[in-house]
Coordinates of all heavy atoms in Angstrom, one line a residue:
M23 N -2.7 11.1 29.5 CA -1.4 11.3 29.0 C -1.1 12.5 28.2 O -2.1 12.9 27.3 CB -1.0 10.0 28.4 CG 0.1 10.0 27.5 SD 0.7 8.5 26.6 CE -0.4 8.4 25.3
L24 N 0.0 13.2 28.4 CA 0.2 14.3 27.5 C 1.4 14.0 26.7 O 2.3 13.2 27.2 CB 0.5 15.5 28.4 CG -0.5 16.2 29.2 CD1 0.0 17.3 30.1 CD2 -1.6 16.6 28.4
I25 N 1.6 14.5 25.4 CA 2.6 14.3 24.6 C 3.3 15.6 24.2 O 2.6 16.4 23.9 CB 2.2 13.5 23.3 CG1 1.7 12.2 23.7 CG2 3.4 13.5 22.3 CD1 1.2 11.3 22.5
K26 N 4.6 15.7 24.4 CA 5.3 16.9 24.2 C 6.0 16.8 22.7 O 6.8 16.0 22.5 CB 6.3 17.3 25.3 CG 7.0 18.6 25.0 CD 8.1 18.9 25.9 CE 8.7 20.2 25.7 NZ 9.6 20.7 26.6
F27 N 5.7 17.7 21.9 CA 6.5 17.9 20.6 C 7.5 18.8 20.8 O 7.2 19.8 21.3 CB 5.4 18.3 19.5 CG 4.5 17.3 19.2 CD1 3.3 17.1 19.9 CD2 4.6 16.3 18.2 CE1 2.4 16.2 19.5 CE2 3.7 15.3 17.7 CZ 2.5 15.2 18.5
D28 N 8.8 18.5 20.3 CA 9.9 19.3 20.5 C 10.8 19.4 19.3 O 11.0 18.3 18.6 CB 10.8 18.7 21.7 CG 11.7 19.8 22.2 OD1 11.5 21.0 22.0 OD2 12.7 19.4 22.7
S29 N 11.2 20.5 18.9 CA 12.1 20.7 17.7 C 12.9 22.0 18.0 O 12.5 22.8 18.9 CB 11.2 20.8 16.6 OG 12.0 21.2 15.4
E30 N 13.8 22.2 17.2 CA 14.5 23.6 17.3 C 13.6 24.5 16.8 O 13.8 25.9 17.2 CB 15.8 23.6 16.4 CG 17.0 22.7 16.9 CD 18.2 22.6 16.1 OE1 18.4 23.4 15.3 OE2 19.0 21.7 16.4
A31 N 12.6 24.2 16.0 CA 11.6 25.2 15.5 C 10.6 25.6 16.5 O 9.8 26.4 16.3 CB 10.9 24.6 14.2
G32 N 10.5 24.9 17.6 CA 9.5 25.1 18.7 C 9.1 23.9 19.4 O 9.6 22.8 19.1
S33 N 8.1 24.2 20.4 CA 7.5 22.9 21.1 C 6.3 23.3 21.6 O 5.9 24.5 21.8 CB 8.5 22.6 22.2 OG 8.6 23.5 23.1
F34 N 5.6 22.3 21.9 CA 4.2 22.4 22.5 C 3.7 21.0 23.1 O 4.2 20.0 22.7 CB 3.1 22.8 21.6 CG 2.8 22.0 20.5 CD1 1.7 21.2 20.7 CD2 3.5 21.8 19.3 CE1 1.4 20.3 19.7 CE2 3.1 21.0 18.4 CZ 2.1 20.2 18.4
T35 N 2.7 21.0 24.0 CA 2.2 19.9 24.5 C 0.7 19.6 24.3 O 0.1 20.7 24.1 CB 2.3 19.8 26.1 OG1 3.7 20.2 26.5 CG2 1.8 18.5 26.8
M36 N 0.4 18.4 23.9 CA -0.9 18.1 23.6 C -1.5 16.7 24.2 O -0.7 16.0 24.7 CB -0.9 18.0 22.0 CG -2.1 17.3 21.4 SD -1.8 17.1 19.6 CE -2.0 18.9 19.0
A37 N -2.8 16.7 24.4 CA -3.4 15.5 24.9 C -3.0 14.3 24.1 O -3.0 14.4 22.9 CB -4.9 15.6 25.0
G38 N -2.6 13.2 24.7 CA -2.1 12.1 24.0 C -3.0 11.4 23.0 O -2.6 11.1 21.9
D39 N -4.3 11.3 23.3 CA -5.2 10.8 22.3 C -5.2 11.4 21.0 O -5.3 10.9 20.0 CB -6.6 10.5 22.9 CG -7.3 11.7 23.5 OD1 -6.6 12.6 23.8 OD2 -8.5 11.7 23.6
V40 N -5.3 12.8 21.1 CA -5.3 13.6 19.9 C -4.1 13.6 19.2 O -4.1 13.5 17.9 CB -5.7 15.1 20.4 CG1 -5.6 16.0 19.2 CG2 -7.0 15.1 21.0
A41 N -3.0 13.6 20.0 CA -1.6 13.6 19.4 C -1.5 12.3 18.5 O -0.9 12.3 17.5 CB -0.5 13.8 20.5
V42 N -1.8 11.1 19.0 CA -1.7 9.8 18.4 C -2.5 9.9 17.2 O -2.2 9.3 16.1 CB -2.0 8.7 19.3 CG1 -2.2 7.4 18.6 CG2 -0.8 8.6 20.5
Q43 N -3.8 10.4 17.4 CA -4.5 10.5 16.1 C -4.0 11.2 15.0 O -4.0 11.0 13.8 CB -5.9 11.2 16.5 CG -6.9 11.2 15.3 CD -8.2 12.1 15.7 OE1 -8.3 12.7 16.8 NE2 -9.1 12.1 14.9
L44 N -3.3 12.5 15.3 CA -2.7 13.2 14.3 C -1.5 12.7 13.8 O -1.1 12.7 12.7 CB -2.3 14.7 15.0 CG -3.5 15.5 15.2 CD1 -3.1 16.8 16.1 CD2 -4.4 15.8 14.1
L45 N -0.6 11.9 14.7 CA 0.5 11.1 14.2 C 0.1 10.2 13.2 O 0.8 10.0 12.1 CB 1.2 10.5 15.3 CG 1.9 11.5 16.3 CD1 2.4 10.8 17.5 CD2 3.1 12.2 15.6
K46 N -1.0 9.3 13.3 CA -1.4 8.4 12.5 C -1.9 8.9 11.1 O -1.7 8.5 10.1 CB -2.4 7.6 13.1 CG -1.9 6.6 14.2 CD -3.0 5.8 14.8 CE -2.3 4.8 15.8 NZ -3.4 3.9 16.4
A47 N -2.5 10.1 11.3 CA -3.1 10.8 10.1 C -1.8 11.3 9.1 O -1.9 11.4 8.0 CB -3.8 12.2 10.4
M48 N -0.7 11.6 9.8 CA 0.5 12.1 9.0 C 1.3 10.7 8.4 O 2.3 10.9 7.9 CB 1.3 13.1 9.7 CG 1.9 12.6 11.0 SD 2.8 14.0 11.9 CE 4.3 13.3 12.1
G49 N 0.8 9.5 8.8 CA 1.3 8.3 8.2 C 2.4 7.7 9.2 O 3.1 6.8 8.8
H50 N 2.3 8.2 10.4 CA 3.4 7.6 11.4 C 2.5 6.4 12.2 O 1.4 6.5 12.1 CB 3.8 8.7 12.3 CG 4.9 8.2 13.2 ND1 4.7 7.6 14.5 CD2 6.2 8.5 13.1 CE1 5.9 7.3 15.1 NE2 7.0 7.8 14.2
S51 N 3.3 5.7 12.8 CA 2.7 4.5 13.5 C 1.9 5.0 14.7 O 1.1 4.2 15.2 CB 3.7 3.4 13.9 OG 4.6 4.1 14.9
G52 N 2.3 6.1 15.3 CA 1.7 6.6 16.5 C 2.5 6.3 17.7 O 2.0 6.4 18.8
T53 N 3.6 5.8 17.5 CA 4.6 5.3 18.6 C 5.0 6.5 19.3 O 5.4 7.6 18.7 CB 5.7 4.4 17.9 OG1 5.3 3.5 17.3 CG2 6.7 4.1 19.1
V54 N 5.0 6.3 20.7 CA 5.5 7.4 21.6 C 6.5 6.9 22.4 O 6.2 5.9 23.1 CB 4.5 8.1 22.2 CG1 4.9 9.2 23.3 CG2 3.4 8.8 21.4
P55 N 7.8 7.3 22.7 CA 8.4 8.3 22.0 C 8.9 8.0 20.6 O 9.2 6.8 20.1 CB 9.6 8.8 22.9 CG 10.0 7.4 23.4 CD 8.7 6.7 23.7
S56 N 9.0 9.1 19.8 CA 9.6 9.0 18.4 C 9.9 10.2 17.7 O 10.0 11.2 18.4 CB 8.4 8.2 17.4 OG 9.0 7.7 16.3
A57 N 10.1 10.1 16.5 CA 10.7 11.4 15.8 C 10.4 11.4 14.4 O 10.1 10.3 13.9 CB 12.0 11.7 16.2
I58 N 10.5 12.4 13.7 CA 10.5 12.4 12.3 C 11.6 13.4 11.7 O 11.8 14.4 12.3 CB 9.1 13.1 11.7 CG1 8.9 13.0 10.2 CG2 8.8 14.5 12.1 CD1 7.6 13.1 9.7
L59 N 12.3 12.8 10.7 CA 13.5 13.4 10.2 C 13.1 14.6 9.2 O 12.0 14.5 8.6 CB 14.4 12.4 9.5 CG 14.9 11.2 10.3 CD1 15.6 10.3 9.6 CD2 15.8 11.9 11.4
P60 N 13.9 15.5 9.1 CA 13.6 16.7 8.3 C 13.2 16.4 6.8 O 12.2 16.9 6.3 CB 15.0 17.5 8.2 CG 15.6 17.1 9.4 CD 15.3 15.7 9.7
G61 N 13.8 15.3 6.2 CA 13.4 14.9 4.8 C 12.1 14.2 4.7 O 11.5 14.1 3.7
D62 N 11.6 13.8 5.9 CA 10.2 13.2 5.9 C 9.2 14.0 6.2 O 8.0 13.6 6.0 CB 10.2 11.9 6.9 CG 11.2 10.8 6.5 OD1 11.4 10.6 5.2 OD2 11.8 10.2 7.3
I63 N 9.5 15.2 6.8 CA 8.4 16.2 7.1 C 7.4 16.6 6.0 O 6.1 16.7 6.2 CB 9.1 17.3 7.9 CG1 9.6 16.9 9.3 CG2 8.0 18.5 8.0 CD1 10.3 18.0 10.0
P64 N 8.0 17.0 4.8 CA 7.0 17.5 3.8 C 5.9 16.4 3.4 O 4.7 16.8 3.3 CB 7.9 17.8 2.6 CG 9.3 18.2 3.1 CD 9.3 17.1 4.4
N65 N 6.3 15.2 3.3 CA 5.3 14.2 3.1 C 4.3 14.0 4.2 O 3.2 14.0 4.0 CB 5.9 12.8 2.7 CG 5.0 11.8 2.2 OD1 3.9 12.1 1.5 ND2 5.1 10.5 2.8
A66 N 4.8 13.9 5.5 CA 3.9 13.9 6.6 C 3.0 15.0 6.7 O 1.9 14.9 7.1 CB 4.7 13.7 7.9
L67 N 3.6 16.3 6.5 CA 2.8 17.4 6.5 C 1.7 17.5 5.5 O 0.5 17.7 5.8 CB 3.6 18.7 6.4 CG 3.1 20.0 6.5 CD1 2.3 20.2 7.8 CD2 4.2 21.1 6.4
A68 N 1.8 17.0 4.4 CA 0.9 17.0 3.4 C -0.2 15.9 3.7 O -1.4 16.3 3.5 CB 1.6 16.5 1.9
R69 N 0.2 14.7 4.2 CA -0.9 13.8 4.6 C -1.6 14.4 5.7 O -2.9 14.2 5.7 CB 0.0 12.5 5.1 CG 0.4 11.8 3.8 CD 1.1 10.5 4.5 NE 0.2 9.6 5.0 CZ 0.0 8.3 4.8 NH1 0.8 7.8 4.2 NH2 -1.0 7.6 5.3
L70 N -1.1 15.1 6.8 CA -1.9 15.6 7.8 C -2.7 16.7 7.4 O -3.9 16.7 7.9 CB -0.9 16.1 8.9 CG -1.5 16.8 10.1 CD1 -2.4 15.9 10.8 CD2 -0.4 17.4 11.1
K71 N -2.3 17.5 6.4 CA -3.2 18.6 5.9 C -4.3 17.9 5.2 O -5.6 18.4 5.1 CB -2.4 19.6 4.9 CG -1.6 20.5 5.7 CD -0.8 21.4 4.9 CE 0.0 22.4 5.5 NZ 0.7 23.3 4.6
A72 N -4.2 17.0 4.3 CA -5.2 16.2 3.5 C -6.2 15.6 4.6 O -7.4 15.7 4.3 CB -4.5 15.1 2.7
A73 N -5.7 15.0 5.7 CA -6.6 14.3 6.7 C -7.5 15.4 7.3 O -8.8 15.2 7.5 CB -5.9 13.6 7.7
V74 N -7.0 16.5 7.7 CA -7.8 17.7 8.3 C -8.7 18.3 7.3 O -9.9 18.3 7.7 CB -6.8 18.8 8.7 CG1 -7.4 20.0 9.0 CG2 -5.9 18.3 9.8
E75 N -8.4 18.3 6.0 CA -9.3 18.9 5.1 C -10.5 17.9 4.8 O -11.7 18.3 4.5 CB -8.6 19.2 3.7 CG -7.7 20.3 3.7 CD -8.6 21.6 4.0 OE1 -9.5 21.9 3.6 OE2 -7.9 22.4 4.8
A76 N -10.2 16.7 5.0 CA -11.2 15.6 4.6 C -12.1 15.4 5.9 O -13.2 14.8 5.9 CB -10.5 14.2 4.4
S77 N -11.6 15.8 7.0 CA -12.4 15.7 8.3 C -13.6 16.5 8.3 O -13.8 17.7 7.7 CB -11.7 16.0 9.5 OG -11.3 17.4 9.6
P78 N -14.8 16.1 8.8 CA -16.0 16.9 8.9 C -15.9 18.2 9.8 O -15.1 18.2 10.7 CB -17.1 15.9 9.5 CG -16.3 15.0 10.2 CD -15.0 14.9 9.5
R79 N -16.5 19.2 9.2 CA -16.4 20.5 10.0 C -17.4 20.3 11.1 O -18.5 19.7 11.0 CB -16.9 21.5 9.0 CG -15.8 21.9 7.9 CD -16.1 23.1 7.3 NE -15.1 23.4 6.2 CZ -14.2 24.2 6.5 NH1 -13.8 24.6 7.6 NH2 -13.3 24.3 5.5
T80 N -17.1 21.0 12.3 CA -18.1 21.1 13.4 C -19.2 22.1 13.0 O -19.0 22.9 12.2 CB -17.4 21.5 14.6 OG1 -16.9 22.8 14.5 CG2 -16.2 20.5 15.0
A81 N -20.2 22.0 13.8 CA -21.3 23.0 13.6 C -20.8 24.4 13.9 O -21.2 25.5 13.2 CB -22.4 22.7 14.7
A82 N -19.8 24.6 14.7 CA -19.3 25.9 15.0 C -18.5 26.5 13.9 O -18.7 27.7 13.5 CB -18.3 25.9 16.3
E83 N -17.9 25.6 13.2 CA -17.2 26.1 11.9 C -18.1 26.4 10.7 O -17.9 27.4 10.1 CB -16.2 25.0 11.6 CG -14.9 24.9 12.5 CD -14.2 23.8 11.9 OE1 -14.7 22.7 11.5 OE2 -12.9 23.8 12.0
S84 N -19.2 25.6 10.7 CA -20.2 25.8 9.7 C -21.1 27.1 9.8 O -21.4 27.8 9.0 CB -21.1 24.5 9.5 OG -20.3 23.5 9.4
S85 N -21.2 27.4 11.1 CA -22.1 28.6 11.5 C -21.4 29.5 12.4 O -21.7 29.5 13.5 CB -23.4 28.1 12.0 OG -23.2 27.3 13.1
A86 N -20.5 30.2 11.8 CA -19.4 31.1 12.6 C -20.2 32.2 13.3 O -19.7 32.6 14.3 CB -18.4 31.7 11.6
G87 N -21.4 32.6 12.9 CA -22.0 33.7 13.5 C -23.0 33.4 14.6 O -23.4 34.2 15.3
D88 N -23.2 32.2 14.9 CA -24.2 31.5 15.9 C -23.5 31.9 17.2 O -22.4 31.7 17.4 CB -24.4 30.2 15.8 CG -25.3 29.9 14.6 OD1 -25.8 30.8 13.9 OD2 -25.5 28.6 14.4
E89 N -24.3 32.4 18.2 CA -23.8 32.6 19.6 C -24.3 31.5 20.6 O -25.4 31.3 20.9 CB -24.4 34.0 20.1 CG -23.8 35.1 19.4 CD -24.0 36.4 20.1 OE1 -24.3 36.4 21.3 OE2 -24.0 37.4 19.4
K90 N -23.5 30.5 20.6 CA -23.7 29.2 21.6 C -22.9 29.4 22.7 O -21.8 30.1 22.9 CB -23.4 27.9 20.8 CG -24.4 27.6 19.7 CD -24.1 26.4 19.2 CE -25.2 26.0 18.2 NZ -25.0 24.6 17.6
D91 N -23.3 28.7 23.9 CA -22.5 28.6 24.9 C -21.0 27.9 24.6 O -21.0 26.8 24.0 CB -23.2 27.7 26.0 CG -22.4 27.6 27.4 OD1 -21.3 28.2 27.4 OD2 -23.0 27.0 28.3
P92 N -19.9 28.7 24.9 CA -18.7 28.0 24.4 C -18.4 26.7 25.0 O -17.7 25.9 24.4 CB -17.6 29.0 25.0 CG -18.3 30.2 25.3 CD -19.9 29.8 25.6
K93 N -18.9 26.2 26.1 CA -18.8 24.9 26.7 C -19.4 23.9 25.8 O -19.1 22.7 25.9 CB -19.3 24.8 28.1 CG -18.6 25.7 29.1 CD -19.2 25.7 30.4 CE -19.9 27.0 30.8 NZ -20.6 27.0 32.0
E94 N -20.3 24.2 24.9 CA -21.0 23.2 24.1 C -20.5 23.1 22.7 O -20.8 22.2 22.0 CB -22.5 23.6 23.9 CG -23.3 23.6 25.2 CD -24.8 24.0 25.0 OE1 -25.2 24.0 24.1 OE2 -25.3 24.4 26.1
I95 N -19.4 23.9 22.4 CA -18.8 23.8 21.0 C -17.7 22.8 21.2 O -16.7 22.9 21.8 CB -18.5 25.3 20.6 CG1 -19.7 26.2 20.6 CG2 -17.8 25.2 19.2 CD1 -19.2 27.7 20.2
P96 N -17.8 21.8 20.4 CA -16.7 20.9 20.3 C -15.5 21.5 19.4 O -15.5 22.3 18.6 CB -17.3 19.6 19.4 CG -18.5 20.2 18.6 CD -19.0 21.4 19.5
V97 N -14.3 20.9 19.9 CA -13.2 21.4 19.1 C -12.8 20.5 18.0 O -12.9 19.3 18.0 CB -11.9 21.3 20.1 CG1 -10.6 21.7 19.4 CG2 -12.1 22.2 21.3
S98 N -12.7 21.0 16.7 CA -12.6 20.3 15.5 C -11.1 19.8 15.5 O -10.3 20.2 15.9 CB -12.8 21.2 14.4 OG -11.9 22.1 14.2
L99 N -11.1 18.9 14.7 CA -9.7 18.3 14.2 C -8.8 19.3 13.6 O -7.6 19.4 13.8 CB -9.8 16.9 13.2 CG -8.5 16.3 12.8 CD1 -7.8 15.8 14.1 CD2 -8.7 15.3 11.8
R100 N -9.5 20.2 12.7 CA -8.7 21.4 12.2 C -8.1 22.1 13.3 O -6.8 22.5 13.1 CB -9.6 22.2 11.4 CG -9.1 23.3 10.7 CD -10.2 24.2 9.9 NE -11.0 23.2 9.1 CZ -10.7 22.8 7.9 NH1 -9.6 23.1 7.4 NH2 -11.6 22.0 7.3
Q101 N -8.7 22.6 14.3 CA -8.3 23.3 15.4 C -7.2 22.6 16.2 O -6.3 23.2 16.7 CB -9.4 23.8 16.3 CG -10.5 24.8 15.7 CD -11.7 24.8 16.4 OE1 -12.3 23.9 17.0 NE2 -12.0 26.1 16.5
R102 N -7.4 21.4 16.5 CA -6.5 20.5 17.2 C -5.2 20.2 16.5 O -4.2 20.2 17.1 CB -7.1 19.2 17.6 CG -8.2 19.1 18.5 CD -8.8 17.9 18.9 NE -10.1 17.8 19.6 CZ -10.1 17.9 21.0 NH1 -9.0 18.0 21.6 NH2 -11.3 18.0 21.5
A103 N -5.2 20.2 15.1 CA -4.0 19.9 14.3 C -3.2 21.1 14.1 O -2.0 21.1 13.7 CB -4.5 19.4 13.0
F104 N -3.8 22.4 14.3 CA -3.1 23.6 13.9 C -1.6 23.6 14.6 O -0.7 23.9 13.8 CB -3.9 24.8 14.3 CG -3.1 26.1 14.0 CD1 -3.1 26.6 12.8 CD2 -2.5 26.8 15.0 CE1 -2.4 27.7 12.5 CE2 -1.7 27.9 14.8 CZ -1.6 28.4 13.5
P105 N -1.5 23.4 15.9 CA -0.1 23.5 16.5 C 0.9 22.6 15.8 O 2.1 22.9 15.5 CB -0.3 23.2 17.9 CG -1.7 23.4 18.2 CD -2.4 23.1 17.0
L106 N 0.4 21.4 15.4 CA 1.4 20.4 14.8 C 1.7 20.8 13.4 O 2.8 20.7 12.9 CB 0.8 19.0 14.9 CG 1.6 17.9 14.3 CD1 3.0 17.8 15.0 CD2 1.0 16.6 14.5
I107 N 0.7 21.2 12.7 CA 0.8 21.8 11.3 C 1.9 22.9 11.4 O 2.8 22.9 10.5 CB -0.3 22.0 10.6 CG1 -1.2 20.8 10.3 CG2 -0.1 23.0 9.3 CD1 -2.6 21.1 9.8
D108 N 1.8 23.9 12.2 CA 2.7 24.9 12.3 C 4.1 24.6 12.7 O 5.0 24.9 12.0 CB 2.1 25.9 13.3 CG 2.8 27.2 13.6 OD1 3.0 27.9 12.5 OD2 3.3 27.6 14.7
L109 N 4.3 23.6 13.7 CA 5.5 23.2 14.0 C 6.1 22.4 12.9 O 7.4 22.7 12.6 CB 5.4 22.2 15.2 CG 6.8 21.7 15.8 CD1 7.7 22.9 16.2 CD2 6.5 20.7 16.8
L110 N 5.4 21.5 12.3 CA 6.1 20.8 11.1 C 6.4 21.8 9.9 O 7.6 21.6 9.3 CB 5.1 19.8 10.6 CG 4.8 18.5 11.4 CD1 3.6 17.8 10.9 CD2 6.0 17.7 11.8
T111 N 5.6 22.9 9.7 CA 5.9 23.8 8.7 C 7.2 24.5 9.0 O 8.1 24.7 8.2 CB 4.8 24.8 8.3 OG1 3.6 24.0 8.2 CG2 5.1 25.8 7.5
R112 N 7.4 25.0 10.2 CA 8.6 25.7 10.7 C 9.8 24.7 10.6 O 10.9 25.2 10.2 CB 8.4 26.3 12.0 CG 7.5 27.5 12.0 CD 7.3 28.2 13.4 NE 6.4 27.5 14.2 CZ 6.6 27.1 15.5 NH1 7.9 27.4 16.0 NH2 5.7 26.5 16.1
A113 N 9.6 23.5 11.1 CA 10.7 22.6 11.2 C 11.3 22.3 9.7 O 12.5 22.1 9.4 CB 10.3 21.3 11.8
A114 N 10.4 22.1 8.7 CA 10.6 21.9 7.3 C 11.5 23.1 6.8 O 12.4 22.8 6.0 CB 9.5 21.6 6.5
R115 N 10.9 24.3 7.2 CA 11.7 25.6 6.7 C 13.1 25.5 7.2 O 14.0 25.9 6.5 CB 10.9 26.8 7.0 CG 10.4 27.4 5.9 CD 9.8 28.8 6.3 NE 8.3 28.7 6.5 CZ 7.6 29.1 7.5 NH1 8.0 29.6 8.6 NH2 6.3 28.8 7.6
Q116 N 13.2 25.1 8.4 CA 14.5 25.3 9.1 C 15.3 23.9 8.9 O 16.6 24.0 9.2 CB 14.3 25.4 10.5 CG 13.7 26.7 11.0 CD 13.5 27.0 12.4 OE1 14.1 26.2 13.2 NE2 12.7 27.9 12.9
G117 N 14.8 23.0 8.3 CA 15.5 21.6 8.0 C 15.8 20.9 9.2 O 16.9 20.4 9.5
T118 N 15.1 20.9 10.3 CA 15.3 20.3 11.4 C 14.2 19.2 11.9 O 13.2 19.2 11.4 CB 15.3 21.3 12.7 OG1 15.8 20.6 13.9 CG2 14.1 22.0 12.9
E119 N 14.5 18.2 12.7 CA 13.7 17.1 13.0 C 12.5 17.6 14.1 O 12.8 18.6 14.7 CB 14.5 15.9 13.6 CG 15.0 16.2 15.0 CD 16.3 16.8 14.8 OE1 17.0 16.9 14.0 OE2 16.6 17.4 16.0
V120 N 11.6 16.7 14.3 CA 10.7 16.9 15.3 C 10.5 15.7 16.0 O 10.4 14.7 15.5 CB 9.1 17.3 14.6 CG1 8.2 17.4 15.7 CG2 9.3 18.6 13.9
M121 N 10.7 15.8 17.4 CA 10.5 14.6 18.2 C 9.4 14.8 19.1 O 8.9 15.8 19.3 CB 11.9 14.6 19.2 CG 13.1 14.5 18.3 SD 14.6 14.6 19.4 CE 14.6 16.5 19.5
W122 N 8.8 13.5 19.7 CA 7.8 13.6 20.7 C 8.0 12.7 21.7 O 8.5 11.6 21.4 CB 6.3 13.6 20.0 CG 6.2 12.4 19.1 CD1 5.8 11.1 19.4 CD2 6.5 12.4 17.6 NE1 5.8 10.4 18.2 CE2 6.3 11.1 17.1 CE3 7.0 13.3 16.8 CZ2 6.4 10.6 15.8 CZ3 7.1 13.0 15.4 CH2 6.8 11.8 14.9
K123 N 7.6 13.0 22.9 CA 7.7 11.9 24.0 C 6.4 12.2 25.0 O 5.9 13.2 25.0 CB 9.0 12.1 24.7 CG 9.2 13.4 25.2 CD 10.6 13.5 25.9 CE 10.9 15.0 26.3 NZ 12.1 15.2 26.9

């Protein structure tokens, strides 16, 4: 399943399991479809950033200079959360909601 995040500030699509994990990290129930209102975005964004900071770093992030086969390097929560953090930041600046379906 794919989940599309949409806002006047931008849009992107993400794998459903990762999207639900990030929605729950920002304090949402993980319900799809749903939305977040402009006034609720700053708190959700702060919770999401805190969850990302608390998540363990992958070996690739810890040893940036190592040359490993890219197929073996796992994608971290920090990398997966970047598009959502960026969209929420832009939506907060513009005072617009973010919806997902």
